[in-house]
Amino acid sequence: MPDDLNLSNLKPAQSRRVRKRVGRGLGSGKGRYSGRGIKGQKSRSGSHKMRPGFEGGQNPIYMRLGKLRGGSKDALPVGPFRTTTVPVNVAILEERFDAGAEVTPESLVEKGSSRTRRRTSRSLGTAT
């Protein structure tokens, strides 16, 4: 910071953008139609108050496309071949199961490694 800081050498932190003044005559560059063009809906006052998705009276895209309706969380995932899996770490299996014990979905639920037996389990990692 300079030692001789006074009112004569103060500057703003950054340059300011000059505000666009529309409708102030032809010489300003934004006169006559004030940058809105000649005719049409967007040249009128209040034209910026259209709702999102309005397409000028044309059927909007959210009404043209089909709707996905209903369904419960029990019905998901959709399709006969889609399955959801629960990752089970091999280190956890070694802690909770004895050596040579059979690991089934029911036993995973009993030991607390899985919450439900409706989902398939996948083991992660390698046994040491």
Side-chain angles (χ1 to χ4, degrees), residues 52-122:
F54 182 68
E55 297 184 17
Q58 172 177 297
N59 199 12
I61 192 163
Y62 64 84
M63 294 179 75
R64 280 179 272 161
L65 297 178
K67 314 298 189 284
L68 295 175
R69 300 192 185 274
S72 64
K73 295 224 175 188
D74 295 335
L76 295 175
V78 180
F81 302 113
R82 291 189 193 175
T83 58
T84 55
T85 58
V86 177
V88 178
N89 205 333
V90 173
I92 293 174
L93 293 179
E94 288 178 352
E95 290 175 7
R96 297 184 182 178
F97 289 94
D98 297 329
E102 184 179 354
V103 179
T104 62
E106 292 82 12
S107 63
L108 285 173
V109 173
E110 286 176 15
K111 301 282 187 176
S113 297
S114 177
R115 291 184 185 173
T116 178
R117 55 187 197 89
R118 281 191 280 179
R119 295 181 177 170
T120 58
S121 300
R122 296 278 173 97

Side-chain angles (χ1 to χ4, degrees), residues 17-24 30 34-35:
R17 178 177 286 183
V18 179
R19 184 170 57 98
K20 186 191 301 183
R21 299 186 71 212
V22 295
R24 293 293 182 267
K30 287 289 179 198
S34 304

Side-chain angles (χ1 to χ4, degrees), residues 14-15 20 33 43 51 53-54 90 114 125:
Q14 60 185 356
S15 61
K20 186 191 301 183
Y33 304 115
S43 70
R51 69 176 188 277
F54 182 68
V90 173
S114 177

